[in-house]
Amino acid sequence: MDMDIDSPAESNSLPPRYRIVQRLSLQGVPEEHLERLEPGLVAYVKENKFRVPELVSAILPTEEEVLEAYKECKASSKEDLVSPTMTEQFRESMRLLQWLMFYGEPLSALNKLAKISTGQRGVCGSVWGHNDIAYRCRTCEHDPTCAICVPCFQNGNHKDHDYSVIYTGGGCCDCGDVTAWKREGFCSKHKGAEQIQPLPEEFAKSVGPVLDALLVCWKNKLLFAENACQEYHKGSDRIGEFKKVANELTFVVVEMLTEFCQYSESLLSFISKRVFISDGLLDSLVRAERFLSKRVTRKLHELLLKLLGEPVFKYEFAKVFLSYYPILVNEAIKGCSDSVFKNYPLLSTFSVQIFTVPTLTPRLVKEMNLLALLMGCLGDIFCSCAGEDGRLQASFVRLL
């Protein structure tokens, strides 16, 4: 496949597939492999597994290509949106990365995993939006914040139980989660996280290295965007450029991982472990709402809610969550407003997933000094409300 492209502008006019071929060619991938792009690259990776990190980086669009798309969006006053053109380029990259993950056609591999996982689902984890319908069951719940989705309620046995229909404000189904729901209240399809089977070794060996390399690239783009927000003055083009790169990559990675989770609970569990063992990634994902668009943040939080069904991930996430908690509380204090929690919804979305779990919260109290953290935040709030005489200043609104 012959190409002679000199400038980024000319490169941007090419279809995503050709840009990927060009970048891989520059990495020294032989032409005979590139002529059969998907199977050819799989064959090359099998023979050169040590090159996976650099090949993953080469398959992803370059920063220059993303920034060119950003400038085009900015010219049309759409800089806050995910660019359809750029998203398609990233999706093409994800499609090729999936070939490398599964050593073959991705959909066939995912369908194979789905068949292996049939009847083995441990936790439901269906994610709700606002005003979705769910069920509370006071007989089965461990605390008043727990609920299950309609299918799980219908597939369970709640005869003579104290239950009610509710409208959700977000969150996820607790069926199968022993920390939130009594085992006797589990439905016929979910029997607890301990039922989750390990990902078959043939898939773990191929998916792991590619996914790890992708997660490192993802973390780096998030860090670049976060640092840009801190180092450049407000309104700087550099902030928008780095945020654009982080938005585009996060959107397609979350899209892909969410799809994986729908096919196989074993794959979901495998992904959750790779995420929290990837150095610094979970910290970046927790803070990402501070610089990602609301649309992308919402999708990211939906993925994190799904991953919380894995108990080890929930604990690792909780530790990072606690380090972020006082930061937002202090921002709310400085701004004399709780609007910060609306702009940064992670606390409101995940507090109920962390602080109400009877098996998790005591562990956090013991190992992470949770009570001292919460009391410190409460003390800061009281101090901010104190007048010169040291008394709390309070205003009362009369309800008519």
Side-chain angles (χ1 to χ4, degrees):
M1 188 176 294
D2 295 327
M3 277 193 257
D4 183 14
I5 301 170
D6 297 322
S7 69
E10 292 174 359
S11 176
N12 282 334
S13 66
L14 289 169
R17 182 184 181 93
Y18 288 93
R19 283 195 291 271
I20 292 173
V21 169
Q22 182 199 20
R23 295 194 296 268
L24 290 172
S25 178
L26 292 173
Q27 287 295 322
V29 179
E31 185 176 347
E32 59 267 26
H33 289 284
L34 295 177
E35 287 176 346
R36 303 179 302 116
L37 183 55
E38 292 87 351
L41 194 56
V42 168
Y44 181 78
V45 166
K46 285 182 177 179
E47 298 169 359
N48 301 273
K49 294 180 181 179
F50 68 95
R51 297 206 64 195
V52 164
E54 57 192 295
L55 294 177
V56 169
S57 181
I59 288 170
L60 295 172
T62 66
E63 187 171 296
E64 289 74 17
E65 290 170 344
V66 179
L67 297 185
E68 185 66 28
Y70 164 76
K71 292 175 183 177
E72 293 174 1
C73 286
K74 187 175 181 181
S76 59
S77 301
K78 296 181 179 179
E79 64 268 22
D80 291 332
L81 302 179
V82 174
S83 164
T85 302
M86 202 65 239
T87 300
E88 197 54 44
Q89 292 185 35
F90 271 104
R91 281 176 175 158
E92 180 67 16
S93 297
M94 292 302 114
R95 192 182 68 80
L96 186 52
L97 289 178
Q98 289 179 54
W99 271 82
L100 298 187
M101 288 181 189
F102 298 112
Y103 283 171
E105 204 281 318
L107 186 57
S108 298
L110 289 169
N111 284 329
K112 180 179 179 180
L113 281 171
K115 290 180 180 179
I116 294 174
S117 299
T118 300
Q120 296 181 355
R121 302 285 301 186
V123 179
C124 178
S126 294
V127 177
W128 298 313
H130 288 281
N131 292 323
D132 286 342
I133 294 177
Y135 278 87
R136 271 194 65 190
C137 180
R138 295 169 184 81
T139 308
C140 297
E141 68 190 20
H142 283 321
D143 68 73
T145 67
C146 301
I148 58 174
C149 66
V150 174
C152 286
F153 181 85
Q154 294 174 339
N155 290 323
N157 181 11
H158 297 275
K159 184 179 179 181
D160 298 326
H161 286 194
D162 180 12
Y163 63 83
S164 59
V165 178
I166 63 170
Y167 288 100
T168 68
C172 57
C173 177
D174 290 311
C175 187
D177 185 351
V178 71
T179 67
W181 209 254
K182 295 178 182 177
R183 288 189 178 276
E184 54 268 29
F186 292 173
C187 78
S188 58
K189 296 183 178 181
H190 306 115
K191 299 301 180 183
E194 67 275 7
Q195 299 298 318
I196 301 175
Q197 300 297 310
L199 188 68
E201 188 174 358
E202 61 172 307
F203 290 108
K205 286 185 175 180
S206 60
V207 173
V210 179
L211 180 59
D212 289 345
L214 176 59
L215 295 180
V216 170
C217 291
W218 188 17
K219 179 197 69 176
N220 289 338
K221 299 306 181 188
L222 292 172
L223 285 175
F224 288 153
E226 184 177 19
N227 291 336
C229 291
Q230 296 173 353
E231 294 175 6
Y232 293 95
H233 62 82
K234 188 175 181 181
S236 168
D237 282 346
R238 297 299 292 169
I239 294 178
E241 291 172 0
F242 284 112
K243 288 169 66 175
K244 181 67 178 174
V245 175
N247 262 301
E248 295 287 358
L249 182 57
T250 300
F251 184 82
V252 294
V253 171
V254 168
E255 182 180 58
M256 181 183 72
L257 296 183
T258 300
E259 182 181 14
F260 283 179
C261 294
Q262 294 171 348
Y263 276 93
S264 166
E265 195 170 37
S266 297
L267 190 51
L268 181 155
S269 179
F270 183 82
I271 291 168
S272 73
K273 292 173 183 175
R274 307 309 275 214
V275 168
F276 73 72
I277 67 174
S278 182
D279 187 33
L281 175 60
L282 202 50
D283 300 78
S284 294
L285 296 180
V286 166
R287 299 191 304 268
E289 64 177 359
R290 303 171 71 81
F291 50 86
L292 293 180
S293 71
K294 286 183 170 56
R295 175 191 177 194
V296 176
T297 294
R298 183 169 61 252
K299 293 297 183 183
L300 172 60
H301 288 178
E302 288 175 2
L303 173 64
L304 291 174
L305 283 169
K306 284 185 175 295
L307 299 181
L308 284 182
E310 217 290 328
V312 179
F313 179 87
K314 180 177 282 190
Y315 176 67
E316 297 298 329
F317 177 87
K319 292 194 294 185
V320 177
F321 177 84
L322 292 188
S323 67
Y324 182 60
Y325 190 92
I327 295 174
L328 284 192
V329 171
N330 287 330
E331 285 196 16
I333 291 172
K334 291 178 182 177
C336 297
S337 171
D338 61 359
S339 62
V340 65
F341 301 119
K342 297 178 182 178
N343 296 328
Y344 304 131
L346 186 127
L347 257 63
S348 58
T349 300
F350 290 92
S351 289
V352 68
Q353 306 293 332
I354 303 300
F355 295 148
T356 63
V357 181
T359 55
L360 176 62
T361 307
R363 185 179 178 187
L364 294 174
V365 169
K366 181 179 179 180
E367 299 178 8
M368 300 298 296
N369 210 8
L370 173 60
L371 282 181
L373 183 148
L374 294 178
M375 292 303 294
C377 289
L378 184 61
D380 291 341
I381 293 172
F382 282 159
C383 289
S384 70
C385 296
E388 294 181 358
D389 59 358
R391 296 184 178 183
L392 293 179
Q393 305 297 306
S395 59
F396 297 89
V397 178
R398 185 170 184 174
L399 300 179
L400 301 178

